[in-house]
């Protein structure tokens, strides 16, 4: 349901910016402020914010927002929220980001440039990680190398996260929406499906959004538990028992080979990342075993 549309008149636009939010109004305020600084023509893009917690209404500053549409999605999950916006969007290209992201002023123009001049139907942009004032140093070091790995995912695995992602809207008409049953990983699985169908994807290194590093190791662990749920449903549960056991065994070993492609800034960074990665992988193994027991 659209609650509010602050727009002067209906017109043809190029881009619909889609931002789900869940009880995160303060950081959303800064995200919207960054979007106001875009050098892309203001009359050629719209912004759709989806409140995924309707019981938590927008604060008073929302009334000052212009050119922004507010929607509500009661079904839990950011993919359900994004799907609602996709169906309401008027742009021929959808630009996805998150409430805690700060797009650079040329984010939209650089993303569109790659789509228009390079013939891509999808584009993943660069995500810069920054440490917050309250952030833990070790969590930041880990996030710096592992939070998104956007360039590698786009170029090697042909997939992108929705923190910085552009896609032609007609792709969703042709291949369907995000899987709303997933709490995490829905963007990856949708992209993999579309890539396997033959659609191309490009990397836009100059289309940049800035994303805060998680402030604590516990927050990184929470993310792992969420993503494991998606991995279990889409991949692990479909493996034969012998393959499942081998996968679990590999994940209990020190992940030296799983980080050897990374160019670390220092030996200290390498050791910190190795230990945290090992800890996170062990948490993932425990979560997979838990899900296996629950499904029996």
């Amino acid at each position: 349901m659209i609650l509010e549309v602050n727009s002067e008149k209906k017109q043809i636009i190029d881009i619909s910016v889609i931002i789900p939010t869940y009880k995160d109004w303060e950081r959303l305020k800064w995200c919207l402020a960054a979007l106001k600084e875009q050098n892309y023509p203001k009359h050629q893009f719209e912004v759709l914010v989806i409140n995924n917690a309707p019981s938590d209404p927008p604060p008073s500053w929302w009334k000052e927002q212009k050119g922004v549409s507010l929607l509500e999605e009661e079904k839990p999950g950011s993919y359900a929220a994004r799907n609602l916006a996709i169906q309401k969007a008027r742009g021929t290209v959808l630009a996805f980001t998150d409430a805690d992201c700060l797009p650079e002023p040329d984010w939209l123009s650089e993303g569109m440039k790659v789509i228009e001049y390079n013939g891509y139907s999808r584009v993943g942009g660069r995500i810069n990680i920054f440490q917050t004032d309250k952030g833990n140093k070790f969590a930041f070091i880990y996030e710096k190398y592992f939070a998104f790995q956007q360039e590698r995912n786009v170029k090697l695995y042909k997939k992108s996260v929705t923190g910085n992602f552009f896609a032609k809207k007609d792709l969703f008409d042709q291949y369907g929406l995000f899987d709303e049953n997933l709490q995490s990983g829905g963007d990856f699985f949708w992209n993999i499906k579309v890539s396997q169908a033959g659609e191309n994807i490009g990397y836009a290194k100059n289309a940049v959004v800035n994303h805060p590093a998680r402030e604590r190791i516990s927050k990184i662990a929470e993310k792992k538990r969420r993503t494991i749920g998606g991995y279990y449903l889409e991949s692990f549960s479909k493996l034969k028992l012998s393959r499942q056991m081998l996968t679990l065994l590999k994940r209990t070993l020190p992940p030296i080979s799983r980080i050897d492609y990374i160019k670390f800034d220092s030996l200290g960074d390498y050791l910190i990342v190795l230990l945290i990665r090992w800890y996170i992988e062990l948490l993932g193994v425990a979560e997979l075993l838990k899900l296996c027991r629950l499904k029996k």
Side-chain angles (χ1 to χ4, degrees):
M1 177 179 63
I2 297 182
L3 293 182
E4 179 181 340
V5 179
N6 297 320
S7 58
E8 296 179 359
K9 62 179 181 178
K10 299 292 184 181
Q11 54 191 331
I12 298 175
I13 60 173
D14 298 329
I15 311 171
S16 294
V17 180
I18 294 176
I19 312 171
T21 186
Y22 180 81
K23 298 182 179 181
D24 199 9
W25 296 108
E26 190 58 36
R27 291 195 294 186
L28 173 67
K29 182 179 181 180
W30 292 107
C31 179
L32 295 177
L35 288 172
K36 288 180 180 179
E37 301 300 319
Q38 293 297 299
N39 57 25
Y40 200 82
K42 299 296 187 290
H43 66 281
Q44 290 184 290
F45 74 92
E46 66 176 350
V47 179
L48 304 177
V49 171
I50 316 93
N51 181 9
N52 205 201
S55 61
D56 180 39
S60 58
W61 59 259
W62 178 263
K63 298 177 181 179
E64 303 173 4
Q65 298 300 311
K66 302 298 180 183
V68 179
S69 298
L70 180 63
L71 296 81
E72 279 188 351
E73 177 52 68
E74 294 184 357
K75 183 175 181 178
S78 62
Y79 299 113
R82 293 185 183 100
N83 285 345
L84 174 64
I86 289 169
Q87 297 171 80
K88 301 292 185 181
R90 294 185 289 135
T92 57
V93 172
L94 308 180
F96 296 89
T97 191
D98 295 328
D100 56 353
C101 289
L102 300 174
E104 292 289 334
D106 55 356
W107 174 55
L108 292 177
S109 59
E110 290 293 337
M112 287 296 287
K113 186 185 300 182
V114 175
I115 287 179
E116 292 175 339
Y117 299 119
N118 294 280
Y120 291 109
S121 60
R122 294 168 295 148
V123 167
R126 182 156 58 95
I127 301 176
N128 284 340
I129 303 298
F130 66 91
Q131 184 177 359
T132 65
D133 293 338
K134 299 179 181 179
N136 175 274
K137 176 183 176 182
F138 299 113
F140 167 67
I141 290 174
Y142 182 84
E143 290 273 279
K144 180 174 67 173
Y145 295 105
F146 266 107
F148 293 102
Q149 298 184 305
Q150 184 78 323
E151 182 175 8
R152 185 170 187 261
N153 282 323
V154 170
K155 293 183 176 180
L156 185 60
Y157 300 113
K158 310 302 179 185
K159 60 186 183 180
S160 169
V161 295
T162 41
N164 188 356
F165 179 54
F166 295 76
K168 292 184 177 180
K169 186 181 179 183
D170 60 14
L171 291 178
F172 292 93
D173 297 328
Q174 185 173 356
Y175 299 104
L177 301 172
F178 295 117
D179 186 347
E180 298 181 0
N181 295 316
L182 299 177
Q183 294 300 306
S184 184
D187 42 11
F188 275 179
F189 292 120
W190 183 87
N191 270 290
I192 291 171
K193 176 177 66 175
V194 175
S195 292
Q196 289 175 342
E199 299 288 347
N200 56 13
I201 184 171
Y203 179 67
K205 65 178 182 180
N206 295 322
V208 181
V209 300
N210 299 294
H211 191 290
R214 287 173 177 80
E215 295 181 344
R216 298 182 297 279
I217 302 297
S218 61
K219 292 295 183 181
I220 299 173
E222 288 177 14
K223 178 187 177 183
K224 183 65 174 181
R225 293 187 180 96
R226 291 198 308 272
T227 57
I228 280 293
Y231 168 69
Y232 177 85
L233 288 173
E234 293 293 329
S235 301
F236 188 82
S237 61
K238 300 174 183 178
L239 299 175
K240 294 181 178 180
L241 179 59
S242 58
R243 185 66 178 175
Q244 288 181 343
M245 296 300 292
L246 181 60
T247 298
L248 292 172
L249 176 61
K250 287 182 177 180
R251 287 174 177 248
T252 62
L253 301 175
I256 296 174
S257 62
R258 303 188 72 176
I259 64 174
D260 61 3
Y261 64 90
I262 299 176
K263 184 178 180 180
F264 290 95
D265 294 338
S266 66
L267 176 60
D269 280 8
Y270 170 78
L271 294 174
I272 290 169
V273 168
L274 177 64
L275 292 174
I276 296 177
R277 178 71 175 182
W278 195 4
Y279 167 68
I280 296 300
E281 289 291 351
L282 291 174
L283 288 179
V285 169
E287 191 67 17
L288 283 172
L289 291 172
K290 177 182 175 182
L291 290 170
C292 288
R293 288 196 299 271
L294 291 175
K295 296 300 179 179
K296 287 183 178 180

